[in-house]
């Protein structure tokens, strides 16, 4: 098949672009190239839902340990020595040789489905300062409606149980007064669907774009295909050179190329292709991540006992305290569930995870630089991450710690038993800004508001890296909006 559209990356963003183009221009021939191998037997499936018992059990054991380990311990794939031997998985960015000491917990996926095979699926609705000012509110609302549908966002699968309601009430007492209208403590929107009878399913790339799983005459997925460079004739992209794990290369030509290779590697591919606008790799942003957990006495909260999650789940309630502007600038991710005995047989206490995401300053100095001479273990330009918190960021983190202590006491009482930890940069896995969009080609952006790379016809970027703002909350919902926009633009550009 000769594709009209070539998508680099098989994660949530690549799938969302494909789904939007298919919806708007059903006959489009689409090829998706993915550097990593298949993970499991069903392409791009979430590990929570895979048929392979060992994979599913290992994923569930990791998440059962709580929010903290889901993120810090997420990059479990070990050392990446070369492509031929690399197993599918989530690798610490440094494992490929990159200089990432400034973001020691940065990680990237190397498998069909990308991070979409592992994500927790929390989908807080972007709001306020997270939304680029140069996109009209009405347009953003329409794009977000598409995003919610693609991600299958629900608000009724994780609570509220009586215990969850009690936690919402306690947090409302503490923070209701500083919350904007409608933005008090509430249920977290989740990209989770399915019934209790059939089990809850995470939305993964194969659910967003079913042809990844079912195949079709109009779609081809090529795993183990590293896009080494985008081929440009004059000012127009004409395709991509891909390499298999032996290093053998071939060219895939297409009228449109959309790079959905995550916020760390989308700029890497553009750099490798000689496409190097001044903003490339700059404005790297990530909210700081203050994790925490408090133990609560069900009786004190007025509930009968420790809440027991649905079978196959580790939390009974997924809750949210949205950011509300300067009076309450933090995103709160709260989950309620049991703390089990060491042998996992008895629920011995009620544990409430209370994580606080702290927005950090968007600035050009925060960046990912690439080398012209050195390569990573996959043969792509070696990266060096330059990133530090400003004094303003550090002050906000301290304020967040105080507020988190208030939350612990609100839920667990004045003598609450709680722990808190500021996770190292990179831990959130929510990176943005490195191929950011802008209203004008003025040197501070890489793409226009539709994801079209300035100066290169037919070339687009989509995903978290395209977001220009300080994203306070989990980044995937806002990132998916950029995929929706790019997909629409590609469909229009391809014409009838
Ligand atoms: C444990 C965990 C929990 C998370 N929880 C949440 C959450 O609750 N809410 C939330 O909003 N977000 C969450 N995230 C983040 C979320 O998963 C990501 O924001 C999202 O999946 C990013 O999608 P993507 O398609 O941009 O990137 P990825 O999923 O990283 O996919 C990019 C793909 O591109 C491929 N690629 C890279 N370079 C090349 C190349 N040169 N050639 C070919 N292919 C290439 C990669 O192999 C990868 O598969 C979580 C992530 C993890 C790991």
């Amino acid at each position: 098949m000769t594709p009209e559209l070539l998508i680099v990356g098989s994660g949530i963003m690549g799938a969302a672009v494909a789904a939007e183009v298919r919806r708007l221009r059903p006959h489009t021939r689409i090829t998706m190239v993915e550097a990593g191998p298949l993970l499991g037997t069903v392409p791009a499936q979430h590990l929570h839902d895979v048929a392979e018992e060992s994979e599913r059990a290992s994923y569930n054991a990791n998440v059962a340990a709580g929010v903290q380990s889901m993120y810090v311990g997420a990059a479990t794939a070990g050392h990446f020595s070369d492509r031929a031997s690399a197993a599918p998985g989530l690798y610490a960015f440094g494992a490929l040789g990159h200089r990432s000491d400034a973001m020691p917990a940065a990680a990237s996926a190397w498998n069909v489905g990308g991070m979409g095979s592992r994500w927790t699926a929390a989908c807080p609705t972007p709001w306020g300062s997270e939304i680029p000012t140069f996109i009209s509110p009405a347009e953003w609302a329409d794009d977000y409606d598409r995003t919610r549908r693609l991600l299958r966002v629900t608000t009724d699968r994780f609570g509220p149980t009586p215990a969850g309601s009690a936690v919402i009430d306690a947090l409302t007492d503490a923070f209701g007064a500083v919350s904007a209208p409608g933005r008090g403590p509430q249920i977290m929107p989740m990209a989770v669907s399915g019934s209790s009878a059939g089990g809850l399913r995470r939305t993964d790339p194969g659910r967003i774009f079913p042809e990844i799983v079912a195949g079709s005459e109009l779609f081809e997925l090529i795993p183990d295909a590293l896009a080494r460079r985008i081929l440009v004739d004059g000012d127009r992209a004409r395709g991509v050179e891909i390499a298999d794990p032996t290093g053998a290369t071939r060219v895939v030509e297409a009228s449109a190329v959309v790079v959905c290779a995550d916020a760390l590697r989308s700029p890497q591919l553009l750099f490798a292709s000689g496409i190097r606008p001044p903003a490339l790799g700059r404005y790297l942003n990530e909210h700081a991540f203050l994790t925490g957990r408090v133990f609560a006495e069900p009786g004190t909260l007025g509930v009968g006992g420790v809440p027991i999650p649905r079978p196959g789940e580790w939390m009974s309630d997924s809750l949210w305290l949205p950011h509300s502007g300067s009076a309450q600038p933090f995103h709160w991710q709260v989950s309620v569930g049991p703390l089990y005995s060491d042998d996992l047989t008895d629920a011995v206490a009620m544990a409430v995870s209370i994580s606080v995401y702290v927005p950090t300053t968007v600035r050009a100095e925060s960046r990912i630089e690439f080398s012209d001479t050195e390569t990573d273990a996959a043969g792509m330009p070696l990266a060096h991450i330059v990133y530090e918190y400003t004094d303003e960021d550090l002050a906000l983190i301290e304020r967040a710690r105080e507020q988190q202590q208030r939350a612990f006491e609100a839920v667990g009482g004045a003598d609450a038993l709680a722990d808190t930890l500021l996770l190292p940069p990179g831990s959130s896995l929510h990176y943005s800004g490195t191929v950011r969009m802008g209203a004008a080609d003025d040197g501070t952006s890489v793409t226009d508001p539709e994801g079209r790379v300035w100066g290169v016809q037919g070339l687009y970027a989509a995903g978290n890296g395209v977001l220009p703002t300080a994203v306070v909350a989990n980044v995937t919902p806002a990132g998916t909006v950029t995929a929706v926009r790019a997909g629409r633009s590609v469909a229009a550009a391809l014409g009838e």
Side-chain angles (χ1 to χ4, degrees):
M1 184 188 78
T2 310
E4 297 165 282
L5 166 61
L6 191 145
I7 298 172
V8 179
S10 65
I12 287 172
M13 304 305 160
V17 170
E20 273 307 272
V21 173
R22 177 66 76 236
R23 182 176 74 87
L24 296 167
R25 191 172 180 274
H27 55 284
T28 308
R29 298 185 303 277
I30 305 172
T31 292
M32 182 179 275
V33 297
E34 165 56 51
L38 279 170
L39 174 64
T41 46
V42 178
Q45 195 172 23
H46 198 290
L47 291 176
H48 176 271
D49 306 322
V50 292
E52 292 84 357
E53 175 57 32
S54 62
E55 290 282 6
R56 204 175 61 236
S58 140
Y59 171 80
N60 284 333
N62 273 339
V63 295
V67 168
Q68 193 170 317
S69 69
M70 263 190 309
Y71 289 85
V72 173
T76 51
H79 186 65
F80 188 114
S81 38
D82 56 50
R83 287 187 60 206
S85 64
L90 191 69
Y91 287 85
F93 201 51
L96 283 96
H98 299 297
R99 297 190 190 102
S100 52
D101 290 355
M103 250 194 196
S108 51
W110 186 265
N111 56 271
V112 170
M115 288 191 184
S117 294
R118 284 187 169 72
W119 73 314
T120 311
C123 280
T125 312
W127 184 83
S129 58
E130 292 177 304
I131 300 173
T133 49
F134 49 82
I135 298 177
S136 81
E139 203 175 308
W140 180 275
D142 283 351
D143 293 344
Y144 200 67
D145 187 51
R146 284 302 309 151
T147 293
R148 285 177 62 94
R149 287 165 194 261
L150 286 171
L151 295 178
R152 298 173 187 236
V153 177
T154 58
T155 51
D156 60 355
R157 310 298 151 110
F158 283 100
T161 64
S165 295
V167 170
I168 289 178
D169 290 347
L171 292 175
T172 303
D173 286 346
F175 298 101
V178 288
S179 301
R183 295 188 67 78
Q186 56 192 276
I187 292 283
M188 172 70 85
M190 299 286 293
V192 168
S193 50
S195 68
S196 53
L200 298 178
R201 285 189 63 181
R202 280 37 176 177
T203 301
D204 55 33
R207 295 206 97 193
I208 295 170
F209 187 57
E211 287 168 60
I212 290 178
V213 179
S216 93
E217 285 181 354
L218 293 171
F219 177 73
E220 182 183 21
L221 168 69
I222 313 181
D224 288 312
L226 177 73
R228 286 162 45 103
R229 62 193 174 104
I230 299 150
L231 305 171
V232 180
D233 276 352
D235 69 349
R236 169 159 281 283
R238 71 172 168 89
V240 164
E241 179 187 278
I242 57 172
D244 74 13
T246 70
T249 60
R250 70 181 167 105
V251 168
V252 182
E253 300 210 327
S255 306
V257 174
V258 187
V259 179
C260 302
D262 83 31
L264 301 179
R265 289 169 297 172
S266 292
Q268 181 189 46
L269 178 57
L270 265 63
F271 182 91
S273 313
I275 302 164
R276 302 176 183 180
L280 189 74
R282 292 191 171 269
Y283 306 96
L284 171 63
N285 191 253
E286 181 205 23
H287 53 71
F289 191 149
L290 195 57
T291 189
R293 181 170 59 173
V294 62
F295 296 103
E297 185 53 56
T300 311
L301 280 171
V303 290
V306 174
I308 302 301
R310 296 170 190 251
E313 303 299 339
W314 62 275
M315 60 179 166
S316 60
D317 297 77
S318 178
L319 310 178
W320 176 33
L321 172 52
H323 64 101
S324 276
S326 56
Q328 202 299 93
F330 311 115
H331 162 87
W332 301 67
Q333 189 150 326
V334 179
S335 57
V336 182
L339 180 75
Y340 288 106
S341 56
D342 284 349
D343 62 1
L344 300 180
T345 51
D346 295 318
V348 293
M350 172 173 160
V352 183
S353 294
I354 302 183
S355 294
V356 192
Y357 293 177
V358 185
T360 61
T361 314
V362 172
R363 53 194 201 124
E365 297 90 320
S366 301
R367 63 192 185 275
I368 177 165
E369 292 175 343
F370 298 98
S371 170
D372 260 324
T373 53
E374 295 173 279
T375 55
D376 67 14
M380 296 296 281
L382 196 78
H384 176 202
I385 294 181
V386 181
Y387 187 81
E388 61 181 354
Y389 295 137
T390 64
D391 289 346
E392 207 176 282
D393 297 339
L394 292 169
L396 207 54
I397 290 168
E398 280 316 303
R399 195 174 142 198
R401 278 189 213 277
E402 290 160 17
Q403 296 303 306
Q404 189 186 40
Q405 182 58 33
R406 260 188 84 197
F408 288 156
E409 290 175 15
V411 170
D415 55 354
L417 187 62
D419 48 49
T420 174
L421 184 68
L422 177 66
L423 299 183
S427 298
S428 79
L429 309 170
H430 301 151
Y431 324 121
S432 59
T434 51
V435 283
R436 72 202 300 247
M437 59 162 72
D441 184 8
D442 59 3
T444 67
S445 59
V446 173
T447 80
D448 76 4
E450 318 307 317
R452 289 181 285 233
V453 174
W454 297 116
V456 186
Q457 305 297 313
L459 179 62
Y460 301 73
N464 306 336
V466 177
L467 296 166
T469 55
V471 183
V472 189
N474 315 59
V475 72
T476 310
T480 306
V481 170
T482 72
V484 165
R485 296 178 70 83
R488 184 174 58 228
S489 185
V490 166
L494 288 174
E496 289 302 306

